[in-house]
Structure formats: structure tokens, C-alpha cells
Amino acid sequence: MNETAEISVPVRAIIADDHPLVLLAIENLLNSFSNLRAVGRAADTSELFEQLERNVCDLVLMDLYMPGEFEPDALEAIRMFRQHFPNVALVVLTMETDAAVLQSVISLGVEGLLSKRDRIDLIHVAIVTALARECYVGPAVRALIADATLIQRLDYVRKMLSRRELEVFTHYASGFGVTEIAARVDRSVKTISAQKCTAMRKLPLESDAELFCFAVEHGVIAEESVRKPSTRRR
């Protein structure tokens, strides 16, 4: 679906945020589109659910952390929303930076998750995607989750390898040959070769190509920092 496509029918939205300026900014954004209109506003979760009982709506734009009956468990408010209003699309806005929390929000089946650090016009993109019953995740949230995933992968490598094995593995993946590594770390070529083989067996990897891809995917090295492999020697 084209992100900029016009929504074909008028969309009724309820906005929920405990910051008056945020409420005003989102309401002004919605009012700038002829086929979107706010039918309710809420400053806490209790008021949000009251609005949902009183007003028929297609979409809710909700801050993740709001005062109310579910405080401080923000995820419980989403669970209750999903249980009682399964046909209403939900887009969550937040300043949260904990990737685990953000992943939990997505796992609850929201149709959109945006950081308040993202451009405000992306809210409209999220709305269009949400009404198509697809999940839109904003760029700032995607970056936070990707960074956290990379850290988790790197932690896995560090747990699997000894300090010296990781050192050899990193140098080799960066484009240095076994002889070069031996000279750099002041160990024998035989020792370096054995540590490289042990690291590959532990991970497990069967070729230099697999080793390189694994190192990039797990954050051991950055792809752009790799030396040209033409001079590498085993």
C-alpha cells in the first residue's frame, strides 16, 4: 500500500496523551487531512476507555505511558484495549528507548509504534498502514531494536569464545592473515591457526565466507572496515 495514498473513507480517531501540547499537535495534524477527524481526547487511560465506550471510532493514537488505572503497567492498558476493542486500530506513541519494552509493545499486536522523536508527519503514514491492518514501526524504534539485537548477538559471540579466540577471530574477519595476526599479537602461527579453527568450530562455521558474514551480522566487525582480502595468508 502506498504510504501517501489517500484514505478512502472518513476515519474517526481518539487521541490519548497526558501532555496537552502533544494532544494539540496531533489534533492539528489530523485536522489537516479532510478524511481524518478526532472524535475524542483523553489525558489518562481511564478517560480513554470512557471515550471508547461513548464514541464509535476506527483508530486510537495513544501515548504508551499515561496516568490512570493501569499505571505503571503500560502494557496492561494495551492488553485490555486489544481484549475489549479488537476491531479498532491502535497506534502507540512513546519516548521509550528500551528495546525490550518496544518489542513487547509490537508483540501485543498494535498496528503502529512511533517514537515521539520521529517526524510528526510519519503519524499519517502510520495511520494509513494501521487502517490496512499492517504494523508500522517508525524509524527511531526500528533503529533501537536493531541496535539491541546486534548487542545481543555480539554478547553471544563473547560468551562462546575465549578472549584470545575472539581476538584472532576479529583480526581474521577484518582481513588479516594468520601470519599477520601472529606477528601483531606475538604468538606463533601454529597457535593462531589453532585458535581460529577452535573459534570456527565453537560458533560453528565451515568456511571463511561464513566466518566473514557471521562477524558482520553479529557486530564483531563493521563491513566497511574490512581490509581487501587479496594479501591474506593462512
Side-chain angles (χ1 to χ4, degrees):
M1 186 172 187
N2 190 325
E3 290 182 343
T4 59
E6 287 295 319
I7 302 169
S8 58
V9 295
V11 175
R12 298 155 296 185
I14 293 175
I15 310 164
D17 199 295
D18 59 326
H19 294 86
L21 290 179
V22 175
L23 275 175
L24 180 61
I26 296 174
E27 188 166 21
N28 287 340
L29 175 69
L30 296 185
N31 290 337
S32 69
F33 296 98
S34 60
N35 47 11
L36 292 172
R37 64 188 179 97
V39 296
R41 296 172 57 169
D44 58 53
T45 54
S46 300
E47 190 176 355
L48 169 60
F49 281 89
E50 289 173 5
Q51 289 281 348
L52 284 162
E53 293 290 352
R54 290 201 305 264
N55 298 296
V56 176
C57 73
D58 308 294
L59 171 83
V60 166
L61 294 160
M62 184 182 82
D63 184 21
L64 180 58
Y65 295 109
M66 288 193 299
E69 60 182 302
F70 302 106
E71 191 178 19
D73 189 353
L75 298 181
E76 184 58 28
I78 297 175
R79 293 187 190 98
M80 291 298 294
F81 179 95
R82 274 281 161 257
Q83 180 181 340
H84 293 285
F85 305 98
N87 297 320
V88 178
L90 177 61
V91 175
V92 176
L93 309 174
T94 185
M95 289 293 289
E96 178 62 74
T97 58
D98 186 324
V101 175
L102 297 171
Q103 288 173 313
S104 295
V105 172
I106 295 170
S107 72
L108 290 175
V110 301
E111 281 75 32
L113 178 59
L114 278 168
S115 169
K116 290 182 179 180
R117 296 176 178 86
D118 285 323
R119 303 192 322 268
I120 192 169
D121 60 291
L122 290 179
I123 291 177
H124 184 248
V125 177
I127 290 172
V128 173
T129 307
L131 293 171
R133 290 300 176 177
E134 298 176 4
C135 182
Y136 178 82
V137 180
V141 174
R142 290 198 303 269
L144 286 165
I145 292 174
D147 288 346
T149 300
L150 198 61
I151 290 170
Q152 290 169 353
R153 290 177 178 175
L154 183 55
D155 284 344
Y156 164 76
V157 178
R158 287 171 173 158
K159 288 176 183 176
M160 294 298 294
L161 304 182
S162 71
R163 180 180 61 81
R164 289 195 170 190
E165 288 164 356
L166 179 59
E167 180 183 38
V168 171
F169 182 87
T170 303
H171 282 315
Y172 196 83
S174 298
F176 294 96
V178 168
T179 302
E180 291 176 290
I181 298 170
R184 289 170 69 91
V185 300
D186 194 25
R187 295 199 289 275
S188 71
V189 171
K190 182 178 180 181
T191 298
I192 297 302
S193 180
Q195 289 171 338
K196 169 186 173 284
C197 291
T198 301
M200 291 182 68
R201 185 170 61 253
K202 284 182 176 180
L203 286 174
L205 303 167
E206 296 184 357
S207 68
D208 285 358
E210 285 187 11
L211 183 151
F212 170 74
C213 291
F214 182 94
V216 172
E217 290 172 357
H218 287 72
V220 177
I221 59 169
E223 186 169 5
E224 61 272 13
S225 68
V226 179
R227 295 174 66 204
K228 298 293 183 182
S230 57
T231 59
R232 173 148 68 187
R233 296 188 180 90
R234 291 179 180 276

mmCIF file of all heavy atoms in Angstrom, residues 117-136:
data_model
loop_
_atom_site.group_PDB
_atom_site.id
_atom_site.type_symbol
_atom_site.label_atom_id
_atom_site.label_comp_id
_atom_site.label_asym_id
_atom_site.label_seq_id
_atom_site.Cartn_x
_atom_site.Cartn_y
_atom_site.Cartn_z
ATOM 1 N N ARG A 117 10.302 11.058 18.903
ATOM 2 C CA ARG A 117 11.449 11.690 18.260
ATOM 3 C C ARG A 117 11.351 11.631 16.737
ATOM 4 O O ARG A 117 12.092 12.308 16.037
ATOM 5 C CB ARG A 117 12.747 11.017 18.711
ATOM 6 C CG ARG A 117 13.038 11.165 20.202
ATOM 7 C CD ARG A 117 14.291 10.402 20.608
ATOM 8 N NE ARG A 117 14.599 10.573 22.013
ATOM 9 C CZ ARG A 117 14.090 9.847 22.990
ATOM 10 N NH1 ARG A 117 13.219 8.891 22.702
ATOM 11 N NH2 ARG A 117 14.425 10.060 24.245
ATOM 12 N N ASP A 118 10.452 10.779 16.230
ATOM 13 C CA ASP A 118 10.237 10.708 14.786
ATOM 14 C C ASP A 118 9.506 11.955 14.301
ATOM 15 O O ASP A 118 8.858 12.654 15.079
ATOM 16 C CB ASP A 118 9.405 9.464 14.424
ATOM 17 C CG ASP A 118 10.210 8.175 14.512
ATOM 18 O OD1 ASP A 118 11.404 8.201 14.162
ATOM 19 O OD2 ASP A 118 9.633 7.153 14.934
ATOM 20 N N ARG A 119 9.606 12.217 13.000
ATOM 21 C CA ARG A 119 8.886 13.352 12.414
ATOM 22 C C ARG A 119 7.386 13.173 12.628
ATOM 23 O O ARG A 119 6.851 12.080 12.461
ATOM 24 C CB ARG A 119 9.172 13.468 10.910
ATOM 25 C CG ARG A 119 10.614 13.608 10.552
ATOM 26 C CD ARG A 119 10.776 14.008 9.086
ATOM 27 N NE ARG A 119 9.812 13.375 8.214
ATOM 28 C CZ ARG A 119 10.003 12.220 7.570
ATOM 29 N NH1 ARG A 119 11.128 11.538 7.747
ATOM 30 N NH2 ARG A 119 9.084 11.735 6.768
ATOM 31 N N ILE A 120 6.708 14.260 12.959
ATOM 32 C CA ILE A 120 5.279 14.171 13.261
ATOM 33 C C ILE A 120 4.469 13.751 12.041
ATOM 34 O O ILE A 120 3.421 13.103 12.169
ATOM 35 C CB ILE A 120 4.746 15.509 13.840
ATOM 36 C CG1 ILE A 120 3.334 15.292 14.424
ATOM 37 C CG2 ILE A 120 4.775 16.615 12.789
ATOM 38 C CD1 ILE A 120 2.828 16.462 15.234
ATOM 39 N N ASP A 121 4.946 14.070 10.834
ATOM 40 C CA ASP A 121 4.186 13.692 9.638
ATOM 41 C C ASP A 121 4.155 12.179 9.436
ATOM 42 O O ASP A 121 3.303 11.667 8.693
ATOM 43 C CB ASP A 121 4.762 14.384 8.393
ATOM 44 C CG ASP A 121 6.218 14.009 8.152
ATOM 45 O OD1 ASP A 121 7.073 14.430 8.957
ATOM 46 O OD2 ASP A 121 6.499 13.303 7.170
ATOM 47 N N LEU A 122 5.051 11.430 10.111
ATOM 48 C CA LEU A 122 5.022 9.974 9.996
ATOM 49 C C LEU A 122 3.804 9.375 10.697
ATOM 50 O O LEU A 122 3.476 8.210 10.470
ATOM 51 C CB LEU A 122 6.309 9.375 10.574
ATOM 52 C CG LEU A 122 7.583 9.629 9.756
ATOM 53 C CD1 LEU A 122 8.780 9.005 10.434
ATOM 54 C CD2 LEU A 122 7.435 9.090 8.338
ATOM 55 N N ILE A 123 3.143 10.169 11.529
ATOM 56 C CA ILE A 123 1.902 9.690 12.152
ATOM 57 C C ILE A 123 0.870 9.371 11.076
ATOM 58 O O ILE A 123 0.149 8.375 11.160
ATOM 59 C CB ILE A 123 1.357 10.730 13.155
ATOM 60 C CG1 ILE A 123 2.294 10.825 14.367
ATOM 61 C CG2 ILE A 123 -0.060 10.360 13.611
ATOM 62 C CD1 ILE A 123 1.891 11.879 15.381
ATOM 63 N N HIS A 124 0.817 10.204 10.047
ATOM 64 C CA HIS A 124 -0.135 9.935 8.967
ATOM 65 C C HIS A 124 0.228 8.653 8.232
ATOM 66 O O HIS A 124 -0.650 7.858 7.858
ATOM 67 C CB HIS A 124 -0.177 11.110 7.988
ATOM 68 C CG HIS A 124 -1.203 10.930 6.905
ATOM 69 N ND1 HIS A 124 -0.865 10.736 5.596
ATOM 70 C CD2 HIS A 124 -2.564 10.879 6.952
ATOM 71 C CE1 HIS A 124 -1.967 10.594 4.880
ATOM 72 N NE2 HIS A 124 -3.012 10.673 5.678
ATOM 73 N N VAL A 125 1.517 8.413 8.024
ATOM 74 C CA VAL A 125 1.967 7.165 7.406
ATOM 75 C C VAL A 125 1.536 5.979 8.264
ATOM 76 O O VAL A 125 1.039 4.974 7.762
ATOM 77 C CB VAL A 125 3.505 7.164 7.226
ATOM 78 C CG1 VAL A 125 3.977 5.835 6.639
ATOM 79 C CG2 VAL A 125 3.945 8.326 6.349
ATOM 80 N N ALA A 126 1.719 6.119 9.578
ATOM 81 C CA ALA A 126 1.324 5.048 10.498
ATOM 82 C C ALA A 126 -0.176 4.804 10.447
ATOM 83 O O ALA A 126 -0.636 3.653 10.501
ATOM 84 C CB ALA A 126 1.758 5.404 11.918
ATOM 85 N N ILE A 127 -0.970 5.874 10.335
ATOM 86 C CA ILE A 127 -2.426 5.740 10.277
ATOM 87 C C ILE A 127 -2.849 4.966 9.038
ATOM 88 O O ILE A 127 -3.665 4.038 9.106
ATOM 89 C CB ILE A 127 -3.103 7.125 10.316
ATOM 90 C CG1 ILE A 127 -2.939 7.755 11.705
ATOM 91 C CG2 ILE A 127 -4.573 7.026 9.934
ATOM 92 C CD1 ILE A 127 -3.400 9.192 11.779
ATOM 93 N N VAL A 128 -2.306 5.352 7.891
ATOM 94 C CA VAL A 128 -2.653 4.670 6.638
ATOM 95 C C VAL A 128 -2.312 3.185 6.731
ATOM 96 O O VAL A 128 -3.103 2.311 6.352
ATOM 97 C CB VAL A 128 -1.909 5.324 5.444
ATOM 98 C CG1 VAL A 128 -2.122 4.507 4.170
ATOM 99 C CG2 VAL A 128 -2.383 6.756 5.243
ATOM 100 N N THR A 129 -1.115 2.892 7.262
ATOM 101 C CA THR A 129 -0.678 1.496 7.393
ATOM 102 C C THR A 129 -1.552 0.751 8.397
ATOM 103 O O THR A 129 -1.942 -0.405 8.167
ATOM 104 C CB THR A 129 0.788 1.445 7.838
ATOM 105 O OG1 THR A 129 1.577 2.243 6.951
ATOM 106 C CG2 THR A 129 1.311 0.020 7.817
ATOM 107 N N ALA A 130 -1.871 1.397 9.512
ATOM 108 C CA ALA A 130 -2.681 0.765 10.555
ATOM 109 C C ALA A 130 -4.069 0.398 10.046
ATOM 110 O O ALA A 130 -4.593 -0.670 10.364
ATOM 111 C CB ALA A 130 -2.784 1.691 11.765
ATOM 112 N N LEU A 131 -4.665 1.277 9.259
ATOM 113 C CA LEU A 131 -6.012 1.009 8.743
ATOM 114 C C LEU A 131 -6.016 -0.105 7.705
ATOM 115 O O LEU A 131 -7.053 -0.697 7.427
ATOM 116 C CB LEU A 131 -6.608 2.291 8.166
ATOM 117 C CG LEU A 131 -6.895 3.365 9.224
ATOM 118 C CD1 LEU A 131 -7.284 4.679 8.572
ATOM 119 C CD2 LEU A 131 -7.972 2.900 10.192
ATOM 120 N N ALA A 132 -4.830 -0.403 7.155
ATOM 121 C CA ALA A 132 -4.693 -1.554 6.258
ATOM 122 C C ALA A 132 -4.400 -2.828 7.044
ATOM 123 O O ALA A 132 -4.162 -3.879 6.472
ATOM 124 C CB ALA A 132 -3.569 -1.298 5.259
ATOM 125 N N ARG A 133 -4.410 -2.690 8.396
ATOM 126 C CA ARG A 133 -4.160 -3.793 9.322
ATOM 127 C C ARG A 133 -2.759 -4.377 9.140
ATOM 128 O O ARG A 133 -2.544 -5.591 9.248
ATOM 129 C CB ARG A 133 -5.214 -4.880 9.173
ATOM 130 C CG ARG A 133 -6.578 -4.440 9.695
ATOM 131 C CD ARG A 133 -6.513 -4.092 11.176
ATOM 132 N NE ARG A 133 -7.787 -3.582 11.682
ATOM 133 C CZ ARG A 133 -8.019 -3.269 12.942
ATOM 134 N NH1 ARG A 133 -7.062 -3.412 13.840
ATOM 135 N NH2 ARG A 133 -9.184 -2.805 13.338
ATOM 136 N N GLU A 134 -1.836 -3.497 8.856
ATOM 137 C CA GLU A 134 -0.426 -3.849 8.859
ATOM 138 C C GLU A 134 0.245 -3.050 9.970
ATOM 139 O O GLU A 134 -0.282 -2.027 10.411
ATOM 140 C CB GLU A 134 0.209 -3.531 7.503
ATOM 141 C CG GLU A 134 -0.393 -4.324 6.349
ATOM 142 C CD GLU A 134 0.184 -3.908 5.015
ATOM 143 O OE1 GLU A 134 1.100 -3.067 5.005
ATOM 144 O OE2 GLU A 134 -0.286 -4.416 3.979
ATOM 145 N N CYS A 135 1.399 -3.512 10.416
ATOM 146 C CA CYS A 135 2.076 -2.847 11.530
ATOM 147 C C CYS A 135 3.160 -1.909 11.013
ATOM 148 O O CYS A 135 4.070 -2.335 10.306
ATOM 149 C CB CYS A 135 2.684 -3.882 12.477
ATOM 150 S SG CYS A 135 3.499 -3.129 13.919
ATOM 151 N N TYR A 136 3.031 -0.637 11.372
ATOM 152 C CA TYR A 136 4.053 0.341 11.012
ATOM 153 C C TYR A 136 4.931 0.619 12.228
ATOM 154 O O TYR A 136 4.425 0.977 13.298
ATOM 155 C CB TYR A 136 3.419 1.653 10.537
ATOM 156 C CG TYR A 136 4.464 2.701 10.195
ATOM 157 C CD1 TYR A 136 5.093 2.685 8.964
ATOM 158 C CD2 TYR A 136 4.835 3.665 11.132
ATOM 159 C CE1 TYR A 136 6.069 3.618 8.655
ATOM 160 C CE2 TYR A 136 5.807 4.604 10.826
ATOM 161 C CZ TYR A 136 6.417 4.580 9.580
ATOM 162 O OH TYR A 136 7.388 5.505 9.283
#
